[in-house]
Amino acid sequence: MTGRATRNGFRLVFWAGFWTFLLDQVTKFLVVHVLGLRVLERIEVWSPFIEFRMAWNPGVNFGLFAGLDMRWALIALAIGISGFVLWWLKREGGNRWTYMSAGLLIGGALGNVVDRVLYGAVADFLNMSCCGFENPFAFNVADIAIFAGALGLVIFTGERKPAKPQK
């Protein structure tokens, strides 16, 4: 991969990460503070499919390990994984979808890092239920981005074909 292509790829990582981070933080601020979900704890948006449900998650996905004080370990882990993804991209390269996926993952991870630093836990507020099934879990934009970014890295990272030998 040429230097220019690498620079353009990392520019894509930056902008995808930046907009993901910004969207995550703005939605959390609006829902938790402006709409008052912090106090109301539940707001029906499109019943019974979507509602805002306040959940402070000190653990990992679905509240796993919430009873343990892992705040700083989870912050370090998120930053470490973000750094590893950048290092891996620098080493292996990728296509535009790979770089965008990395940006989603990193932007989401850093959005949740900010929550852990400011509040000691991640602010989750989206809840989706349907058809008699009451989903007990909440999530946020960062969680969606992390999942989509990780899935994108799996899907869009292909084997690089060896260069043809020059004669």
Side-chain angles (χ1 to χ4, degrees), residues 73-90:
L74 292 173
I75 289 170
L77 181 64
I79 292 169
I81 289 172
S82 297
F84 173 79
V85 168
L86 290 172
W87 170 83
W88 175 78
L89 276 177
K90 177 80 172 152

Side-chain angles (χ1 to χ4, degrees), residues 29-99:
F29 180 79
L30 289 174
V31 172
V32 175
H33 299 289
V34 175
L35 293 179
L37 188 64
R38 190 177 211 172
V39 175
L40 298 173
E41 294 187 356
R42 188 180 212 153
I43 299 172
E44 287 188 13
V45 177
W46 183 28
S47 188
F49 305 107
I50 300 173
E51 70 179 16
F52 296 151
R53 221 183 261 180
M54 190 71 246
W56 293 102
N57 183 1
V60 294
N61 284 4
F62 306 114
L64 295 173
F65 308 115
L68 304 173
D69 185 11
M70 298 180 58
R71 174 184 184 184
W72 298 106
L74 292 173
I75 289 170
L77 181 64
I79 292 169
I81 289 172
S82 297
F84 173 79
V85 168
L86 290 172
W87 170 83
W88 175 78
L89 276 177
K90 177 80 172 152
R91 188 169 173 262
E92 297 295 323
N95 60 36
R96 73 181 328 182
W97 297 106
T98 307
Y99 285 106

Side-chain angles (χ1 to χ4, degrees), residues 119-139:
Y119 308 116
V122 173
D124 289 333
F125 62 89
L126 289 168
N127 177 271
M128 300 177 78
S129 297
C130 178
C131 315
F133 171 73
E134 175 101 8
N135 179 9
F137 302 108
F139 54 96

